[in-house]
Amino acid sequence: MRPKTTHTLLRAILALVAMLAVFALPGCKGKEQAGTGKKGLASGRGLEESLNSDKAPDYPVLWDTRPYKNIHKSAQQAWFLTETAYFVVQDKWRSATGEQRKAVEQEIDRNVFGVNDEVKQLFEDAIKAEPDNALNYASYAMWLKPRKYIKEGGFVNAYPDALKNIDKAIELWPDESRFYLQKAWIIYAPNYCGDWLRAGVDDKLAVNAALPDIEQLFATAEKYDPNNAYINYHHALTLYRFTDPAQFDSIKDALLRELRAGNQKSRNFFFFPPPLLPYSQSARVAVLWGTETEAIFYDHWHQFGEYPVSAVRSLVDTMTTSLQWPEQKQEIAEVMYFAYAVGRTEPFDSSYFHMQQRVMDIIMEQQKDNAEERRKLAEEARYLFAQYRDTAQELYDRKLITDVKRLDVSGVEDVERSGSRKNNIKDIVQRRHAGYLKHFAETFDVQFPLPESPEEW
């Protein structure tokens, strides 16, 4: 990125920072902080090299046939100025105390979340220079989604303009699966800019009302990327999160269909918005140091490539509770495999081996009056306990568990819930998770579509 002049660059940054603030400063994101091994970047030259690499994942679109593989340099600079503002306001917030913090809050609300004219113009310059580059429109849509136009006496959300731009991207490249997923994200995602959240009124109710549109977007995304399990899992989690819990029975069958469909698929990749790769096999830590000379796409790495942890846990719990053992043991097996398969989504986010204990507890409770079935389940529970003990011991040996009193499922859960992108636990936990499912299948005659080779577990 080459600024026109130092003066122009500084003026743009100051114009952005002069307004910086957040609706809810306590809404600072916690899960994705440095030290979790999360987030990386792939843009510019690195993006092109990755796309042409023999190691690139099997994305359904042949990238060599695309006329563009990156956003325009003006759009890249727009993100750079945005991230520079994030760094400055974060620095202000950390050093502010008392009344100073109130001033910073007002600043953030006005300027981090306010549409900055110079940054907006950079995106529009990119679109003018490359009007047939769908990536420019999709990138602009992502930038607009959480922001608002500051008006005298109030504001107007930029959300409708975000939808217009992602629709234009879809019009240009209708076979690009991730554009449909990105449009769904624009509808349901909270309004984060950097680490700051702008809360809205009745956001969940608004998303609930839009669920029919979101359902269609997931269906179309799956049409153009039919072998990606993530789309089905993400679909199920979104439907579950934004449906009134009192209406769970009305969506139960749809949720089970999505889990079963995802469990049978050959690929399992998160999606990322442009200019990041649509599929990425790794994600390095993205941290703003204030010394950057180009965009690192901080928002892209921090808002994508992860599952909502509480929703995964709640979905496993609620689905298992709603089913009956042993009459619906294969359906319960689908839920169990989902808990394993989300840990196979690339790049690695989190594992959920600890949830198998919860599944076991629920089905054993259902069998409290069936002595023979409860005996078989108790034997399997002892096997599961041994797997947790061995897993915890290995984590302890690697100093990932430090309390010798937690060499059981509690220690495994602590590690799994302590942050995302902890690649150093992936092989340890997922290998034993798969081994447990194999044993469970042999014991209770259920089917899990485990990879044939344990090396792929």
Side-chain angles (χ1 to χ4, degrees):
M1 190 265 324
R2 273 197 264 169
K4 295 177 183 176
T5 67
T6 302
H7 175 73
T8 301
L9 178 58
L10 288 174
R11 185 163 55 87
I13 293 172
L14 290 172
L16 213 68
V17 174
M19 308 163 37
L20 288 165
V22 61
F23 239 21
L25 286 171
C28 182
K29 298 174 80 173
K31 181 184 174 190
E32 302 89 352
Q33 297 307 305
T36 63
K38 183 175 178 64
K39 317 306 181 187
L41 58 144
S43 63
R45 183 178 175 186
L47 172 63
E48 303 249 356
E49 289 173 350
S50 296
L51 285 169
N52 294 324
S53 169
D54 291 338
K55 296 180 180 179
D58 181 22
Y59 193 59
V61 175
L62 294 175
W63 274 88
D64 286 344
T65 68
R66 289 294 197 205
Y68 298 98
K69 298 183 180 69
N70 205 345
I71 58 176
H72 187 268
K73 61 183 180 181
S74 292
Q76 294 178 43
Q77 179 156 327
W79 281 111
F80 169 64
L81 294 181
T82 297
E83 291 168 1
T84 301
Y86 289 167
F87 174 81
V88 173
V89 74
Q90 187 69 269
D91 193 52
K92 276 189 173 187
W93 173 252
R94 289 190 184 118
S95 61
T97 58
E99 291 299 316
Q100 292 176 324
R101 285 212 163 182
K102 292 182 180 180
V104 177
E105 289 177 15
Q106 294 172 359
E107 210 180 314
I108 297 171
D109 183 51
R110 190 173 63 251
N111 300 309
V112 163
F113 288 104
V115 170
N116 176 270
D117 290 338
E118 294 198 45
V119 175
K120 178 176 183 288
Q121 188 61 54
L122 283 168
F123 279 112
E124 293 177 357
D125 288 346
I127 288 170
K128 184 177 180 180
E130 296 173 344
D132 56 344
N133 183 354
L135 303 176
N136 288 330
Y137 294 95
S139 189
Y140 189 25
M142 179 180 166
W143 185 82
L144 286 167
K145 181 271 189 291
R147 291 177 164 81
K148 57 186 179 180
Y149 298 105
I150 305 296
K151 305 290 184 182
E152 188 173 346
F155 66 89
V156 175
N157 286 321
Y159 168 82
D161 287 342
L163 289 177
K164 289 177 185 176
N165 277 276
I166 195 62
D167 282 343
K168 182 62 178 180
I170 290 171
E171 177 188 331
L172 289 168
W173 292 2
D175 59 341
E176 181 64 18
S177 174
R178 61 174 166 163
F179 288 169
Y180 300 96
L181 297 176
Q182 185 180 340
K183 184 173 181 179
W185 171 85
I186 289 171
I187 297 171
Y188 71 72
N191 291 318
Y192 271 110
C193 285
D195 293 331
W196 309 107
L197 171 66
R198 179 167 77 95
V201 178
D202 295 330
D203 285 343
K204 190 168 183 176
L205 290 176
V207 175
N208 179 269
L211 275 176
D213 293 334
I214 294 174
E215 292 277 281
Q216 185 57 51
L217 289 167
F218 276 110
T220 310
E222 185 177 8
K223 171 185 173 182
Y224 290 114
D225 191 1
N227 295 316
N228 189 0
Y230 167 74
I231 295 176
N232 299 100
Y233 299 151
H234 185 34
H235 183 179
L237 287 164
T238 303
L239 180 60
Y240 177 72
R241 289 168 68 196
F242 295 106
T243 298
D244 184 341
Q247 302 300 316
F248 172 78
D249 286 344
S250 69
I251 63 169
K252 174 182 170 182
D253 290 344
L255 294 175
L256 191 56
R257 282 196 304 271
E258 291 302 316
L259 299 191
R260 184 182 289 115
N263 290 348
Q264 297 299 323
K265 293 190 175 179
S266 60
R267 289 200 304 271
N268 195 350
F269 283 90
F270 289 112
F271 88 97
F272 294 89
L276 302 188
L277 296 172
Y279 282 179
S280 180
Q281 290 178 305
S282 63
R284 300 186 304 275
V285 175
V287 179
L288 294 169
W289 299 104
T291 57
E292 291 79 17
T293 58
E294 60 182 20
I296 66 169
F297 305 108
Y298 184 88
D299 280 334
H300 302 61
W301 289 113
H302 279 261
Q303 296 189 48
F304 296 87
E306 63 185 15
Y307 287 105
V309 174
S310 61
V312 173
R313 288 165 49 84
S314 181
L315 177 59
V316 171
D317 192 46
T318 306
M319 285 296 295
T320 306
T321 303
S322 74
L323 298 166
Q324 291 297 313
W325 182 276
E327 294 82 359
Q328 295 177 295
K329 63 181 181 179
Q330 184 56 46
E331 287 81 357
I332 291 174
E334 299 291 351
V335 179
M336 294 172 67
Y337 190 80
F338 161 73
Y340 162 73
V342 288
R344 288 175 53 80
T345 311
E346 294 188 44
F348 179 68
D349 173 37
S350 297
S351 56
Y352 295 85
F353 188 19
H354 68 277
M355 285 304 297
Q356 299 300 346
Q357 181 65 63
R358 179 60 182 153
V359 173
M360 180 62 71
D361 291 344
I362 292 170
I363 58 180
M364 285 192 71
E365 175 64 22
Q366 292 178 354
Q367 300 304 306
K368 59 185 177 183
D369 297 325
N370 185 334
E372 178 57 24
E373 193 65 31
R374 190 174 176 84
R375 181 191 63 78
K376 289 171 59 179
L377 288 167
E379 289 180 0
E380 190 66 15
R382 285 191 286 274
Y383 179 83
L384 176 58
F385 175 82
Q387 302 314 300
Y388 284 136
R389 181 196 61 212
D390 292 346
T391 303
Q393 182 64 55
E394 193 167 353
L395 294 170
Y396 180 80
D397 292 343
R398 298 194 186 188
K399 303 190 185 325
L400 297 170
I401 293 177
T402 57
D403 186 350
V404 73
K405 296 178 182 179
R406 299 183 76 79
L407 298 184
D408 53 19
V409 64
S410 65
V412 174
E413 180 176 355
D414 288 346
V415 172
E416 289 186 311
R417 299 187 67 184
S418 64
S420 61
R421 296 285 180 257
K422 287 196 169 183
N423 289 304
N424 54 348
I425 74 167
K426 178 181 177 181
D427 291 341
I428 299 173
V429 177
Q430 286 293 103
R431 172 169 42 85
R432 295 192 183 278
H433 198 163
Y436 167 68
L437 293 184
K438 184 175 185 296
H439 188 275
F440 189 97
E442 293 168 350
T443 302
F444 294 104
D445 191 27
V446 296
Q447 302 298 315
F448 294 118
L450 289 164
E452 290 186 11
S453 172
E455 294 180 359
E456 298 178 17
W457 289 356

